Amino acid sequence: MDRSMIDGRTAVYGLMGDPVEHTLSPAIHNTMADLTGMNLAYLPFHVPAGCDLGVVLKGAHALGIRGMNVTVPHKKAVMPFLERISPEAGAAGAVNTLVRTETGYEGFNTDVLGLSENISEAGVSLTGKKVVLIGAGGAARAAAYLCGRDRAGKLYIANRTLENAERLRKEVQGTWPDLPVEVMPMEDLGASGERDLIAFQCTSVGLYPACDRAPVTDPAFYKRLIHAFDTIYRPEKTLFMKMAEEAGAGTAGGLGMLLWQGLKAYEIWTGIRADKDQALQIRSRLEAFLKEEG
Ligand code: ATR
């Protein structure tokens, strides 16, 4: 880490969240700054849950902080304090990237843009496809937005708590009235007759250290998939992905989404889009960090 490069012109960016100790975002942005020769520094800011976010943003603005990522638990709570909110962030109901303007901060959602890039990178298009979302929280909202934007043919939402799935169904139908959406109990996923499905695993089931768990255990479900995306990146290959792979489906994990949400934020802040080589270098850096952490 060469801090002697920091000078009076260094543009300061950061991450606000609680906790922030294990974040990989500084590795993404500071490495991109090195690779693209930008005079910027990206720092973690521990902003405890329950803080007055209006005061936090006023302070950040007064200090001239150019942009921030926002993580748990502030992604929704920050929204009332922003000058403007992008269409993706509005539809996903969450903001994870702030850009400084003269008078305040503008909010974006690069989790949505990152997932979109992860899907294209896997060579998959959602247009006209039958899609299953497993989960009905923040990550599922990002995937649901892309199903509407890319005109998926049909959307199934399966979730442990049906009323949360029902709430998401209503939101999706409010934004995309032409997209047919059906809610189904998790246990019915194996019994459904649909084939050629694209699935998004959007729950925390299977997250390290509970790596031997998957939200669906019926092998019949996995045989119906053509592609399976997991939003979890620790472990890099979840049991959900392993089961999908064994059944012959294509798979992609959450590391690509993590990488691209960061690179999209970097692009919004600096106007510089990572090329293939830079994206690969940062991906290996993230893999190394994850290995170090166990
Ligand atoms: P995120 O922003 O990562 O999506 P979230 O908004 O808290 O996180 O959503 C978590 C999702 O994981 C929800 O769909 C949740 O199901 P419920 O709506 O029933 O709470 C799901 N989830 C969490 N733990 C789960 C478990 N042990 N089994 C099944 N689903 C679980």
Side-chain angles (χ1 to χ4, degrees):
M1 191 188 298
D2 189 358
R3 277 182 292 253
S4 65
M5 301 299 283
I6 292 178
D7 61 18
R9 292 191 185 83
T10 301
V12 178
Y13 292 82
L15 166 79
M16 54 186 263
D18 179 20
V20 289
E21 285 82 356
H22 297 287
T23 177
L24 296 172
S25 293
I28 299 178
H29 295 288
N30 292 319
T31 308
M32 265 306 276
D34 286 344
L35 294 175
T36 57
M38 294 292 288
N39 186 0
L40 70 81
Y42 183 101
L43 302 167
F45 295 109
H46 179 217
V47 174
C51 254
D52 183 336
L53 294 180
V55 171
V56 171
L57 290 193
K58 270 210 176 86
H61 193 266
L63 290 170
I65 293 175
R66 303 277 185 92
M68 272 201 279
N69 282 137
V70 182
T71 189
V72 178
H74 305 310
K75 285 187 186 187
K76 204 182 249 303
V78 79
M79 292 174 84
F81 304 103
L82 303 175
E83 301 271 289
R84 264 187 310 275
I85 288 171
S86 74
E88 294 87 18
V95 159
N96 81 326
T97 299
L98 306 181
V99 176
R100 191 176 194 276
T101 69
E102 285 270 295
T103 46
Y105 288 95
E106 199 173 344
F108 295 82
N109 187 314
T110 67
D111 289 332
V112 174
L113 302 172
L115 180 58
S116 174
E117 197 71 38
N118 203 27
I119 296 168
S120 325
E121 210 175 35
V124 172
S125 157
L126 300 179
T127 310
K129 300 286 184 357
K130 287 166 282 186
V131 178
V132 184
L133 301 186
I134 303 168
R141 274 178 175 73
Y145 174 83
L146 294 175
C147 290
R149 187 197 70 180
D150 296 350
R151 297 181 182 279
K154 170 114 196 209
L155 182 60
Y156 294 93
I157 306 174
N159 194 48
R160 176 180 60 180
T161 312
L162 276 181
E163 57 191 291
N164 292 342
E166 191 51 41
R167 188 176 319 127
L168 178 55
R169 185 185 70 77
K170 286 201 182 110
E171 282 174 31
V172 173
Q173 295 218 297
T175 317
W176 314 101
D178 295 338
L179 173 63
V181 188
E182 206 176 296
V183 164
M184 59 162 58
M186 220 63 134
E187 336 42 283
D188 289 1
L189 278 174
S192 137
E194 289 281 24
R195 303 199 69 80
D196 297 335
L197 296 161
I198 296 175
F200 289 92
Q201 198 303 101
C202 304
T203 75
S204 46
V205 182
L207 180 66
Y208 177 87
C211 307
D212 57 347
R213 297 192 57 212
V216 189
T217 47
D218 187 345
F221 167 69
Y222 294 93
K223 293 210 177 87
R224 301 203 173 89
L225 306 183
I226 45 172
H227 214 100
F229 291 92
D230 205 319
T231 53
I232 291 175
Y233 60 83
R234 193 184 276 139
E236 228 182 307
K237 195 180 270 184
T238 58
L239 179 59
F240 174 81
M241 288 164 68
K242 284 182 194 159
M243 290 184 79
E245 209 171 82
E246 273 160 27
T251 60
L255 193 67
M257 183 177 170
L258 172 79
L259 168 75
W260 282 107
Q261 65 73 32
L263 295 179
K264 286 285 169 189
Y266 191 86
E267 188 179 340
I268 291 172
W269 290 330
T270 64
I272 300 174
R273 187 182 157 82
D275 62 29
K276 241 188 171 146
D277 189 49
Q278 291 163 339
L280 269 176
Q281 285 194 56
I282 293 176
R283 185 189 272 267
S284 354
R285 194 107 200 224
L286 295 180
E287 282 167 354
F289 269 105
L290 288 173
K291 277 207 183 81
E292 257 169 47
E293 285 209 331

